[in-house]
Amino acid sequence: MWEGLGLQVFLVSLGAVLCSAAASSAPLERGHRRHLSLHRHRERAGKEGQVLHRSKRGWVWNQFFVIEEYTGPDPVLVGRLHSDVDAGDGSCRYILSGEGAGTIFVIDDKTGNIHATKTLDREEQAQYTLTAQAVDRDTNKPLEPPSEFIVKVQDINDNPPEFLHGPYYARVPEMSNVGTSVMQVTATDADDPTYGNSARLVYSILQGQPYFSVESQTGIIRTALPNMDREARQEYDVVIQAKDMGGHMGGLAPSPDKVPGEEVGRLKAKDPDLAENGLVSYRFVDGDGMTVFEITTDTDTREGVIKLRKPVDYETKKAYTLRVEASNTHVDPRFIAWGPYKDTATVKVTVEDADEPPAFIATSYNFEVEENAPNGTVVGRVHAKDTDGAGNPVRYMIPRYTDVEQFFSVGPEDGIIRTTRPLDRETQPWHNISVSATEIGGHHQDTKVRVNIKVKDVNDNAPEFATHYEVLVCENVSPGKLIGTVSAVDKDEIGHRQYFHFSIAPEAVNNQNFSLKDNRDSTASIYVTRRGFSRMTQDVYFLPIEINDNGVPPMSSTSTLTIRVCSCDSKDTILSCNVEPYILPAGLSTGALIAILACIVILLAIVVLFVALRRQKKEPLIVFEEEDIRENIITYDDEGGGEEDTEAFDIATLQNPDGANGFLPRKDIKPEFQYPMRPGGRPVANSVDVDDFIKTRITDADNDPTAPPYDSIQIYGYEGRGSIAGSLSSLESVTTDSDLDYDYLQSWGPRFKKLADLYGTKDSADDNS
């Protein structure tokens, strides 16, 4: 029995613990949530030296990358830090440290938003390591351990491939077979090779066909024609192009134009002399290209090498004329009169039209568009033109990586930018995109321009309380007392001389408790209008306040001010508000609901187990007729009336005294009150009305729900009558043992022989003595 009882107590205790845990997991009133969160932190922090088993980080990271080469007017949002200890009441302050903190990256210490204030170049630095920490704004104590994170600079295709070791010179035997390897050229790209195709290079031949070819992936140059004769042509100029983006549209390639220092051409003056007498030097003596070109002498071949001194532009000047003089370096004085030992020639340099990418008219564009504008609203127009002589048409597009969510589209032929869906200034006030212009035909070279689009504000957000306001007022407050001040915020832009107007909502304008004064500075003061409040009558008041802005169109909303009645001392110091027992959460979280349901299930399981244990014991809850109550201990404080007493009281009455009335008393329930006895004194001892007395007691027992079998004690305050042996009780005897005479025991028969022998022997012994 005790084992079953112990198990039941354990199960009930377990259910109580789970229920209390479920109740504690329910949402707390807002005013207490931060306190509990900080308390848990202090408790964790105070247990130094213990192993803290924490499975969840307190930080939430949303995004940590920024596109390089951002040139917008406003800092770009990199990401947002948020700690689970931040209750949103401004008590948590965020601190940022590490590479670029405070210079490149700044953080809003209230919201945790990180912005990049400068243009970043991935090729200069690909990532930044920063450390974030949340501290208490008042005490500056850490609320969470510092957390390290990385901001990566996302690559864009802003670097063309470069040949670092050009120009290249190579030799190949004449009459070589087709496909003979001449040399391999290699270009490099500073863009990220692991991100997209920005650094995936493809080689092609622009000049040198049909004599040579190049492998697109390796850059190996090979011969393309058989039987190439040196005597017919001994030199070839081959131009190789390396293009990124896998060679697709939008890929960048180095300009094939000649750069300063590159060779333009060669010329040679013949001199039949030998050795030093045949050495020749070259110089420009006239022409319109003397500042654009320069000439040197190749000592091995005795050729004049013309090189480019500064870049040329086909659209500016298409040809240059130079007069070159060749003269002997050493002249024998004996033969000076035979001179002159020099000659001149005219050289014409033609500038070829290179395939250049289109050029935008402006270096960047800035447009504005109103938020919530319908789809297809014109934002602005960009314009680019082909600078080549061919004047090919230009096609426009927006690179997707600059407009990931595709808010805008551009006309491929006219360059007109339009919206694709309504914009929200409160979500993103600026959009910084790029527009690419590609020449149709040629080598599909393109150029990009930055387009900065500002979203103009529209008054589409109603003002609301700056925070959740809860005002405390004393029960003994006096009329006219200022009890609080409220302010409002608006997600829209606040114009010059614009403020919010406050008033009590129409449904509460007739209240007799509180009044409001608009301070005309976007704040309002709350006053008490009557004397005295009682927490017992009403402890919380809700005052609806209407807030209006004066925008176009005007917007308004209603916010509710909570006013709590508190107990205060004579100096208006708040003692207690007793809000805890009265506060009910507005809603239960999913975790709290699950915990409560689990608690209910466990309690049901405990009840089922309890019933099963009772059935195993096979102990009925109700006393039935077959149970003999005589198994219980009956205690009598006095004697009965002898043999005749069995006729006066039936033992069956004790077994089921209420059976005749259909009432079955519960054996397992202890009575909590006793029914009073019927009025009238009970018969005294030796009363002759024993039958009446017993009937009276039987009637009392029949009508008493607390009667046996719960309590089987019966008290008889009398002795029977008519017994041959008389009374066996010595309670009322006034004699002592020495006065007793036991001779009569001899006449009682065989049943009392043993007793007669005992006492008779004693008496005999006494007599002999």
Side-chain angles (χ1 to χ4, degrees):
M1 179 182 70
W2 290 108
E3 293 179 355
L5 180 60
L7 179 59
Q8 295 169 13
V9 172
F10 170 75
L11 294 176
V12 173
S13 302
L14 177 61
V17 170
L18 292 175
C19 287
S20 63
S24 65
S25 66
L28 298 176
E29 194 272 331
R30 184 178 299 180
H32 302 280
R33 185 182 295 114
R34 180 175 67 88
H35 171 73
L36 293 179
S37 178
L38 295 179
H39 174 72
R40 288 194 296 268
H41 170 73
R42 296 189 188 103
E43 185 178 19
R44 292 194 300 267
K47 298 180 180 179
E48 297 181 358
Q50 296 185 8
V51 178
L52 301 180
H53 300 282
R54 183 171 183 172
S55 59
K56 178 184 178 183
R57 275 295 302 131
W59 291 100
V60 178
W61 313 113
N62 290 340
Q63 70 174 17
F64 300 101
F65 65 89
V66 59
I67 296 178
E68 66 170 333
E69 305 296 343
Y70 170 81
T71 58
D74 292 337
V76 62
L77 178 64
V78 177
R80 180 171 182 258
L81 309 183
H82 182 72
S83 174
D84 59 1
V85 301
D86 186 356
D89 55 1
S91 62
C92 180
R93 181 166 66 93
Y94 295 97
I95 301 175
L96 191 67
S97 60
E99 296 179 300
T103 55
I104 300 177
F105 302 100
V106 295
I107 187 172
D108 188 325
D109 63 354
K110 293 182 179 179
T111 63
N113 290 338
I114 300 177
H115 289 83
T117 61
K118 296 182 179 180
T119 300
L120 303 180
D121 186 359
R122 191 206 66 84
E123 288 70 42
E124 180 180 343
Q125 185 167 347
Q127 65 183 31
Y128 297 83
T129 302
L130 298 168
T131 301
Q133 188 173 21
V135 300
D136 187 272
R137 187 175 297 276
D138 298 329
T139 63
N140 210 35
K141 292 183 178 180
L143 301 178
E144 289 282 354
S147 183
E148 186 178 275
F149 63 97
I150 295 176
V151 176
K152 292 186 177 181
V153 182
Q154 185 175 349
D155 182 51
I156 65 172
N157 188 27
D158 59 342
N159 291 277
E162 294 183 357
F163 290 99
L164 301 179
H165 306 290
Y168 297 90
Y169 298 94
R171 299 176 182 271
V172 63
E174 63 177 336
M175 309 303 290
S176 296
N177 296 329
V178 175
T180 300
S181 175
V182 178
M183 68 176 307
Q184 182 178 15
V185 296
T186 303
T188 60
D189 195 315
D191 292 323
D192 188 358
T194 64
Y195 181 78
N197 293 327
S198 297
R200 182 185 173 191
L201 305 183
V202 172
Y203 298 93
S204 60
I205 185 169
L206 300 182
Q207 180 179 328
Q209 296 173 318
Y211 307 101
F212 300 93
S213 65
V214 63
E215 293 182 358
S216 61
Q217 302 298 326
T218 63
I220 297 177
I221 301 173
R222 300 182 183 275
T223 59
L225 290 179
N227 304 323
M228 297 178 65
D229 188 2
R230 189 197 70 84
E231 285 72 29
R233 185 175 179 180
Q234 64 178 7
E235 290 185 355
Y236 296 87
D237 292 328
V238 179
V239 178
I240 303 297
Q241 180 190 70
K243 189 175 184 180
D244 59 18
M245 296 297 289
H248 294 89
M249 180 179 296
L252 301 179
S255 173
D257 300 341
K258 296 290 185 179
V259 297
E262 286 194 32
E263 181 180 323
V264 176
R266 293 184 176 219
L267 52 85
K268 185 175 184 180
K270 293 183 178 180
D271 190 334
D273 294 329
L274 301 176
E276 64 179 10
N277 295 326
L279 296 178
V280 179
S281 63
Y282 302 89
R283 69 186 182 94
F284 293 135
V285 295
D286 195 10
D288 57 2
M290 294 181 63
T291 60
V292 180
F293 303 94
E294 64 182 359
I295 187 169
T296 60
T297 303
D298 188 335
T299 57
D300 294 333
T301 62
R302 298 183 181 182
E303 294 175 326
V305 180
I306 300 176
K307 295 181 179 180
L308 190 65
R309 177 178 291 181
K310 61 182 181 180
V312 295
D313 184 11
Y314 172 82
E315 286 72 28
T316 303
K317 190 174 180 62
K318 297 179 174 58
Y320 296 88
T321 301
L322 297 168
R323 189 168 182 81
V324 181
E325 178 187 83
S327 60
N328 285 118
T329 304
H330 301 280
V331 178
D332 192 332
R334 295 174 299 173
F335 307 109
I336 290 179
W338 294 11
Y341 296 94
K342 57 184 178 181
D343 194 10
T344 61
T346 300
V347 177
K348 185 176 182 180
V349 180
T350 302
V351 180
E352 296 181 350
D353 184 17
D355 187 11
E356 298 174 331
F360 282 95
I361 296 177
T363 57
S364 64
Y365 294 87
N366 295 290
F367 300 126
E368 292 183 350
V369 61
E370 287 189 349
E371 66 173 327
N372 302 326
N375 300 353
T377 300
V378 175
V379 177
R381 181 184 181 186
V382 297
H383 181 65
K385 61 180 181 179
D386 182 16
T387 58
D388 298 332
N392 293 325
V394 175
R395 182 175 294 274
Y396 303 94
M397 65 171 293
I398 298 177
R400 286 300 96 188
Y401 65 84
T402 66
D403 184 21
V404 177
E405 298 185 23
Q406 301 183 12
F407 286 107
F408 306 95
S409 64
V410 62
E413 298 179 357
D414 56 16
I416 296 178
I417 301 174
R418 292 181 170 86
T419 60
T420 59
R421 61 173 180 259
L423 306 177
D424 184 10
R425 187 203 68 87
E426 287 70 42
T427 302
Q428 191 170 350
W430 280 89
H431 293 265
N432 306 105
I433 66 174
S434 294
V435 176
S436 172
T438 304
E439 175 188 350
I440 300 177
H443 294 88
H444 303 289
Q445 297 187 78
D446 72 338
T447 186
K448 297 179 181 65
V449 68
R450 175 68 68 178
V451 179
N452 305 312
I453 302 173
K454 180 181 179 180
V455 183
K456 297 172 62 177
D457 183 49
V458 173
N459 193 35
D460 59 345
N461 289 278
E464 57 187 10
F465 275 163
T467 185
H468 173 74
Y469 288 105
E470 184 174 286
V471 177
L472 304 181
V473 60
C474 295
E475 288 182 302
N476 56 351
V477 65
S478 302
K481 181 177 179 58
L482 173 66
I483 60 173
T485 302
V486 296
S487 62
V489 294
D490 195 329
K491 295 180 181 179
D492 296 319
E493 290 182 347
I494 304 299
H496 183 59
R497 295 182 180 179
Q498 181 180 356
Y499 67 92
F500 302 117
H501 175 71
F502 297 83
S503 63
I504 295 179
E507 62 268 22
V509 71
N510 295 323
N511 84 93
Q512 304 298 321
N513 302 316
F514 308 98
S515 63
L516 179 146
K517 178 185 177 183
D518 189 350
N519 299 325
R520 302 183 67 84
D521 60 353
S522 296
T523 65
S525 301
I526 311 299
Y527 295 89
V528 175
T529 57
R530 71 175 177 89
R531 179 183 300 276
F533 293 86
S534 173
R535 286 181 297 161
M536 299 301 296
T537 303
Q538 185 172 352
D539 66 323
V540 180
Y541 292 85
F542 298 102
L543 183 64
I545 298 177
E546 187 177 276
I547 313 172
N548 297 270
D549 61 18
N550 55 356
V552 180
M555 301 289 291
S556 66
S557 68
T558 300
S559 298
T560 302
L561 174 65
T562 302
I563 304 174
R564 295 194 180 277
V565 181
C566 303
S567 173
C568 304
D569 58 15
S570 59
K571 297 181 180 179
D572 291 340
T573 301
I574 295 177
L575 301 178
S576 174
C577 294
N578 290 338
V579 295
E580 292 82 356
Y582 301 96
I583 293 176
L584 292 177
L588 295 177
S589 64
T590 303
L593 290 175
I594 295 176
I596 292 174
L597 291 176
C599 175
I600 295 174
V601 172
I602 292 175
L603 289 178
L604 291 176
I606 291 174
V607 172
V608 173
L609 183 58
F610 182 82
V611 174
L613 291 175
R614 296 287 298 180
R615 289 181 176 179
Q616 288 181 359
K617 293 173 62 177
K618 297 181 180 179
E619 182 177 347
L621 300 179
I622 301 177
V623 179
F624 295 99
E625 295 182 356
E626 63 269 19
E627 182 179 0
D628 191 352
I629 198 62
R630 288 176 294 182
E631 64 183 1
N632 296 329
I633 300 175
I634 309 299
T635 303
Y636 300 93
D637 291 338
D638 58 283
E639 285 189 275
E643 288 82 8
E644 293 183 6
D645 198 20
T646 58
E647 298 177 358
F649 193 85
D650 189 359
I651 195 64
T653 305
L654 294 178
Q655 292 181 338
N656 191 1
D658 296 319
N661 299 328
F663 175 76
L664 298 178
R666 293 290 297 270
K667 180 180 178 181
D668 57 333
I669 300 179
K670 182 178 180 180
E672 299 193 14
F673 60 91
Q674 296 289 339
Y675 277 68
M677 296 293 295
R678 287 190 176 185
R682 67 182 182 180
V684 296
N686 298 325
S687 173
V688 296
D689 298 323
V690 175
D691 294 337
D692 294 335
F693 167 75
I694 293 177
K695 291 180 180 179
T696 300
R697 295 300 302 271
I698 291 175
T699 304
D700 292 340
D702 290 341
N703 296 326
D704 187 0
T706 65
Y710 173 77
D711 186 1
S712 299
I713 299 176
Q714 296 295 320
I715 300 174
Y716 300 90
Y718 66 94
E719 291 195 32
R721 57 185 175 86
S723 174
I724 300 176
S727 176
L728 297 179
S729 173
S730 61
L731 296 178
E732 298 180 358
S733 175
V734 296
T735 61
T736 62
D737 291 344
S738 60
D739 298 331
L740 294 177
D741 185 5
Y742 299 101
D743 293 338
Y744 60 89
L745 295 176
Q746 300 294 336
S747 62
W748 284 11
R751 296 183 178 179
F752 295 91
K753 184 178 184 301
K754 183 63 175 178
L755 185 61
D757 293 338
L758 290 174
Y759 282 90
T761 302
K762 178 179 180 181
D763 294 339
S764 300
D766 292 339
D767 295 337
N768 293 333
S769 63

